[in-house]
Amino acid sequence: LKDENERWGAGVEALKEQMGLLPGDVMCSAAFIAYIGPFNEGFRAQMRANWFEDLVSRSIPSSDSVDPIAMLADDAAIAAWQSEGLPADRLSVENGAILNTCSRWPLLCDPQLQGIAWLKQREGDNAVVVQLSQKGFLDKVQHGMTEGLPILLENLGESVDAVLEPVISRSIIQKGRKLVIKLGDTEVDL
């Protein structure tokens, strides 16, 4: 028991030390989620280095090598994503972390269709897959919203139908205890 007490004591001290480094680590992770998505791997590495230098120059406590992935996902989650079909490269893991932690609806530009394949396998039959060119696409979107199902809009062009603007901007209206979004002429319960 004495050895366990020493091990637990060392663990507590390590956690206290990590807690002191949270401000910089969280700032870097938040910037990572908000800004890094559209860039390639080389530019992402450069941005992370610049953010770290900025944290140091402002004397904001942070880990020696800030890794947003370590803050946003653990090894078990990454392994689960990869078993669902997400490629194992760093860029794909970063994209998976962004997709799972962002508060906005993610937009995937996916010419190799790897991300879409991962999402479809991950969500299974629960996802409502819609193309704006389909007949009755609004009914499918409405069904997905009322049932709380993930909605995957495929093959978007350069513009999005104006009917979907309240959904994309998350213009949620609270009516009593209900949350609704205006979709066309109807208010859809969330």
Side-chain angles (χ1 to χ4, degrees), residues 127-144:
V128 176
V129 181
V130 181
Q131 294 183 8
L132 297 182
S133 60
Q134 282 179 330
K135 185 178 180 182
F137 83 92
L138 271 180
D139 294 332
K140 289 184 177 185
V141 171
Q142 183 175 355
H143 170 72

Side-chain angles (χ1 to χ4, degrees), residues 112-134:
Q112 286 98 16
L113 303 178
Q114 292 175 326
I116 289 180
W118 172 58
L119 286 173
K120 285 181 178 177
Q121 184 168 345
R122 179 183 179 154
E123 299 300 335
D125 294 333
N126 291 333
V128 176
V129 181
V130 181
Q131 294 183 8
L132 297 182
S133 60
Q134 282 179 330

Side-chain angles (χ1 to χ4, degrees), residues 144-158:
M145 290 172 59
T146 56
E147 296 296 321
L149 301 173
I151 301 169
L152 179 62
L153 294 173
E154 287 186 318
N155 298 330
L156 287 177
E158 291 183 19

